[in-house]
């Protein structure tokens, strides 16, 4: 979530595949070819699994081919610990479906080495989710290496890094990671990042898990290297939660709502309103948001606490997914 | 900045007198009686001094009678320390004009005891300005009391408290302060708080200083007691900086901008658009912002760093204002 | 634990009644009159209950008349959450025996208002225990006051304050508290503080609970007012955990050990060694510890983590003790 | 400063070459061959430059061949900012003498890329010096790469990393660094670490700069790879400040002081006392310090503030040394 491209390309203002898909469908008005959708309601949460099946579909919705799972739940925002433990369990189950994806050469039973990356800036609250997860995560690789083979039962070698952001280190995050991966040789990388959403109801209430990697600082981005299987040489699972909505989105949505408003529907006014072209829209957005424009973010008032809570839920989910002896009942006992 | 009243009363969505005054003038279209305005341009900053002269004027602009000084400057947002030191100097000068206000029984030369209060929640970044200022402030009362009379030259007895917010303590902030004031008997209270603005360009670029006290958690508010001279029994100077804009404001402003947009001016569309009534407006706002509504805040992306910087500038300004031996040149040396 | 008196009065270097008692017995070589001792072994912990019955006994052991309960346990230092929850339960039980002490006019069933005070300096790790406990504590007074009478079932009005230390505020901590108590009118004050011990094995492994109040910054101290029933006008329970040992203690103990060492017992050398007088001892202490002397503290290497863990255990213990619906099984769910 | 070897090998309990040298001289009673010593008194500080010239000398004093510069000053502990700025200047000058050491293939004029490493654990106060320095450091490599050649005047490409410790990441720190260095290809590495001293007067008052690299977690250590020119493939300058004294040292020194005490000098007792052998010494140490032994550290009471202050001084020193436009007068303006 480091920095964003043009504030006016709304497609780039969301990191959620589920929003990209809905946005595209609204525009085209029809089902997307090459995008498979599967929705499941579980207790306290709705799970949506999107598979982008080919490059044409990827182009259409602006997300790379692969799997995108979103867990939407109101409960993440509530302070209730017991529900948080439950959500960690739900998340662990979905992680495990991706971990067993063909890309991974070792199954979890073969005790692969897993490197968890906490992306983002620990000095910027809405961007601190990744480092926060690392803070709570159970790290075991150094103990695993020291333990005799039969004592390793039920232990997986997990290591972790919060590399910081370009502004703090002067080094591209992907460069740091590539260097560390070349030394540590993990079998799988799991990268955690705070995301941007377009819809406010997704804030701190949606977990997205994907196997397509991540480009720190952009949606599809133009950086030289990404945290992807191609660039890193190992499978990458990305886990993210939206913590901000770009303010440009809100202004844009307000104009759109006016255009579609029932109370003035079909009137000449709405017809004309719909003729406001993109350039006029941008002028209005600029007038409302200057001098900040793309750098003004919207977040829930209690964002500091939400980041802490969500960080714990995700660290718990990873602990359950990665260590056979940890489950929903005892997950709180292992949070660092 | 604890919690806000109805999210739809736009008047209440700003803590800045300068915005209240402009808002009222826009509505009425004429100069306000009983409000005196004085504007001064200094290097790097514009200073606006508003005096609300009577209750009728207070009613009209929604701010209590008294003086409101705003220092507007782009430089607060820049990371340049030298300009920050300069702004501390500008602020100190304005503070001193209020300190010599009739309410204060002792002049600064008579070494009054001053209690600085850092309002707000240290666990919520945009609300942490007050505690941050206390962190940097030079506190001397305990040294002053221990020093012999002739060693006190140039030292003022300054004490400080960051009392927390109702959600953290279970006690009304004003209750805590009244209790402490009854024991410490300061001659003057200076209360620091993060503010809400309506206009994004005021974010982290405006310092408001007033002698009318403050109601933690509201503009004009309905709490039993405020941090005011009436309730506390000593003069109160409030210093605040806007750190958030309520998201309701942005949606509202977008609609207003559309209504006034030059490109569609005078068209039938705009005429009809202008007929959108307040209820319809509220419906649109609700649709765009649900489920957060009044609890979604807008802040600059780098809010964490801004709070740290602004906290230092204000602590520096207080140090210069309160201690004769501290000035713009050496202010950095005394920041804790 | 703000500041200490003469570094050479070893009696003052411990805040633990159990150490004072042992120290005195070692000196006098006999049971102390007026000191009642009760020891109990429970799972994972040893509980010692000392009652200082009169002023003469108080003089002898340097602790005010009243009850001192210590819970000693290795498990506080282990990272195991399940044992921490258990220890919160043990602590809650002991707190409750003191809460029902005659001083308290309302029983817990009558829903007394309880003010929890987190003493100490949040900027100094070994002194940050008190503020840390407040951070985790369940605060309810503001909800209680707003709830209808029949919805209050099982809720006690608990409020909290971390007032800081003299160096941060310029105000005596007891002054701040007296002011707040005069406004809030609690029925009971519970004050949390980090303590100093003489014996290293007590570090982060002993919880002391007493009903004699506390003098921030000293053992028996010479401050004008203390956080005691006499000065505050309400019963005060103090809860503390040793986090540091003064380095003077260690040098002293080394000399003492040499004097008693079996390997050189009965030799002329030891006889002479035993003739080292207090002044010579002090010279050696000064030589070893200069230039820090009383300001050099000993703490376990992992003190930062210990403070976090112990803070959670004590907050959990208070939550269990004060709220009827919280118990050892669900205590983790209510930690903030 | 991660973990230490046997707590009884006193030679290993100091990271300061100046202490190692003195210790060895005390033992042997004569000048050391192959160790060159140069002492200089400057205002507010004493600078000692030790060159260990060959392997035999290295063996004797337990420090690798190379240069060790120590800056000893009382002023580091004082809160005075102006003196801190001065000390940053003193440090920068000494750094520059090492930077021009033959190992470095590019002179500072050729704008070498410099990687600054903040070793240590940000969650453990006395070990947090390295990350603290990175927090304040001016990082420019990403700006340098983006700037046109003629705008780079006076800018050096500096990047930075705080890799954490083995217990937090599960990865050897040197492994992480080697990976990053292989990607970033810096011309020079500067590694910052908190050190252990044997003498309390060195705490937070001594800066050691050396060109021999560093082994995180030990003096001469037995790790597979170190942060050294041999293992990293680039010159390494290490900068450290003692923040703790191992408690074993204090007990040992107390016994030693007794043996040498003037008041009992020449007596039979002292003769016998000197016969206490190392095993007896260890028993006494164990008795005094159990159950912590090597894990009990001594630190000044105000260690949290000292770490913050010293972190700023060192970051300032690096900024002055590395960027031609930063000097003692303006150093505070560039601290992040």
């Amino acid at each position: 979530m480091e920095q964003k491209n043009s504030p006016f390309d709304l497609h780039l203002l969301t990191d959620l595949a589920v929003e990209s898909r809905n946005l595209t469908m609204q525009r085209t008005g029809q089902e997307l070819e090459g995008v498979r959708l599967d929705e499941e309601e579980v207790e306290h949460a709705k799970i949506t699994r999107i598979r982008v099946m080919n490059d044409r579909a990827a182009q259409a919705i602006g997300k790379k081919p692969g799997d995108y799972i979103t867990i939407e739940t109101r409960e993440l925002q509530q302070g209730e610990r017991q529900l948080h433990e439950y959500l960690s369990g739900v998340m662990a189950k979905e992680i495990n479906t991706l971990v067993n994806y063909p890309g991974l050469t070792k199954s979890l039973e073969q005790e692969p080495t897993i490197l968890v990356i906490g992306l983002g800036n620990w000095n910027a609250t809405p961007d601190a989710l990744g480092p926060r997860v690392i803070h709570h995560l159970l790290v075991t690789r150094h103990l695993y290496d020291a333990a005799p083979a039969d004592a390793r039962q039920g232990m997986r070698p997990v290591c972790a890094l919060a590399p910081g952001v370009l502004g703090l280190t002067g080094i591209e995050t992907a460069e740091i990671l590539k260097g560390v991966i070349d030394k540590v040789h993990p079998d799988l990388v799991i990268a955690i990042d705070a995301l941007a959403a377009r819809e406010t109801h997704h804030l701190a209430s949606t977990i997205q898990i994907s196997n397509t990697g991540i480009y720190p600082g952009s949606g599809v981005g133009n950086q030289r290297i990404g945290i992807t299987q191609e660039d890193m040489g190992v499978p990458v699972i990305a886990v993210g939660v939206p913590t901000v909505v770009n303010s440009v989105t809100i202004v844009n949505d307000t104009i759109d709502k006016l255009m579609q408003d029932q109370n003035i529907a079909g009137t000449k006014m709405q017809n004309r309103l719909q003729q406001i072209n993109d350039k006029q829209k941008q002028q209005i957005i600029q007038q409302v948001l200057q001098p900040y424009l793309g750098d003004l973010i919207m977040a829930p008032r209690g964002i500091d606490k939400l980041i802490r809570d969500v960080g714990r839920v995700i660290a718990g989910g990873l602990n359950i997914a990665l260590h056979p002896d940890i489950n929903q009942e005892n997950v709180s006992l292992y949070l660092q």
Side-chain angles (χ1 to χ4, degrees), chain A:
Chain A
M1 211 179 67
E2 286 185 33
Q3 64 221 101
K4 295 293 161 188
N5 299 57
S6 157
F8 295 118
D9 190 343
L10 292 173
H11 228 150
L12 294 182
L13 293 179
T14 180
D15 295 318
L16 290 181
V18 76
E19 288 189 352
S20 287
R21 184 227 164 229
N22 293 347
L23 200 63
T24 311
M25 278 197 58
Q26 277 168 31
R27 286 187 179 169
T28 63
Q30 56 182 24
E31 271 303 329
L32 295 170
E33 230 179 299
V35 174
R36 204 166 68 195
L37 185 82
D38 167 51
E39 294 181 330
E40 183 187 355
E41 297 277 349
V42 301
E43 210 183 343
H44 299 301
K46 177 185 166 191
I47 301 173
T48 306
R49 300 182 189 89
I50 292 176
R51 176 168 289 180
V52 179
M53 305 184 76
N54 52 48
D55 285 343
R56 220 177 108 199
Q59 198 83 32
I61 75 165
K63 293 285 160 203
K64 286 175 60 180
D67 290 309
Y68 299 85
I69 301 170
T70 53
I71 303 167
E72 290 176 65
T73 170
R74 296 269 73 152
E75 310 302 346
L76 210 51
Q77 283 180 43
Q78 311 303 321
E80 285 212 36
R81 284 291 168 84
Q82 217 148 13
L83 284 168
H84 287 179
E85 295 170 353
Y86 165 79
L87 290 174
S88 290
V90 172
M91 178 194 144
K93 224 167 120 190
E94 297 302 319
I95 289 253
N96 279 339
T97 67
L98 288 193
V99 165
N100 292 319
Y101 197 69
L104 189 62
T105 50
K106 275 187 184 177
S107 76
L108 277 182
E109 282 66 39
Q110 292 170 290
E111 301 179 3
T113 295
I114 293 157
L115 171 61
V116 182
I117 302 295
L119 298 170
N121 184 346
W122 44 79
N123 288 332
T125 306
D127 197 26
L129 180 66
R132 203 69 209 158
V133 169
I134 301 303
H135 178 79
H136 288 301
L137 193 74
L138 186 62
V139 168
T140 53
R141 178 175 171 264
H142 55 309
L143 309 172
Y144 180 91
D145 286 355
D150 57 339
R152 294 173 181 176
Q153 295 294 354
M155 203 195 261
R156 300 278 162 63
V158 173
C159 51
L161 197 72
V165 294
L166 182 61
L168 293 176
T169 62
I171 313 172
E172 290 278 356
T173 303
E175 262 187 298
I176 295 175
L177 295 185
K178 181 64 175 149
V180 173
I181 287 168
D182 284 356
K183 295 296 159 205
V184 172
H185 301 297
D187 299 292
L188 173 68
V189 165
I190 299 179
I192 319 297
D193 203 4
L195 305 179
R198 285 194 75 255
E199 298 171 32
T200 57
H201 66 93
H202 279 139
L203 283 173
S205 63
T206 303
I207 302 171
Q208 174 174 282
I209 307 166
S210 74
N211 57 10
T212 60
I214 196 167
Y215 288 83
S218 68
V220 185
N222 48 11
Q223 289 168 325
R224 287 167 305 132
I225 61 169
I227 304 171
T228 59
Q229 179 153 10
E230 299 84 65
D231 287 335
M232 294 295 131
V234 283
V236 175
I237 290 176
V239 179
V241 173
T243 60
V244 298
V245 169
N246 193 306
S247 57
V248 169
T249 307
I250 300 296
V251 179
N252 183 78
D253 286 3
T254 305
I255 298 171
D256 287 354
K257 282 273 188 264
L258 273 179
M259 293 184 189
Q260 301 151 16
D261 194 72
Q262 297 292 356
N263 293 308
I264 49 176
T267 63
K268 277 186 200 157
M269 178 189 66
Q270 197 170 64
N271 296 340
R272 295 286 290 270
L273 197 54
Q274 278 157 4
Q275 288 156 21
I276 292 182
N277 61 26
D278 276 2
K279 213 184 139 209
Q280 289 170 332
K281 233 185 192 179
Q282 288 187 19
Q283 282 172 348
I284 292 166
I285 290 173
Q286 274 172 327
Q287 284 166 19
V288 175
L289 297 181
Q290 52 130 220
Y292 285 98
L293 205 53
D295 280 333
L296 206 59
I297 53 172
M298 312 195 66
R301 196 176 282 279
I303 179 72
D304 295 70
K305 179 166 170 27
L306 285 172
I307 294 285
R308 283 198 298 272
D309 282 358
V310 173
R312 225 170 7 220
V313 169
I314 291 183
L318 293 177
N319 284 349
I320 295 174
L322 303 181
H323 300 286
D325 292 349
I326 303 184
N327 54 47
Q328 187 184 318
E329 271 68 43
N330 65 13
V331 60
S332 285
L333 303 176
Y334 291 93
L335 286 178
Q336 300 306 295

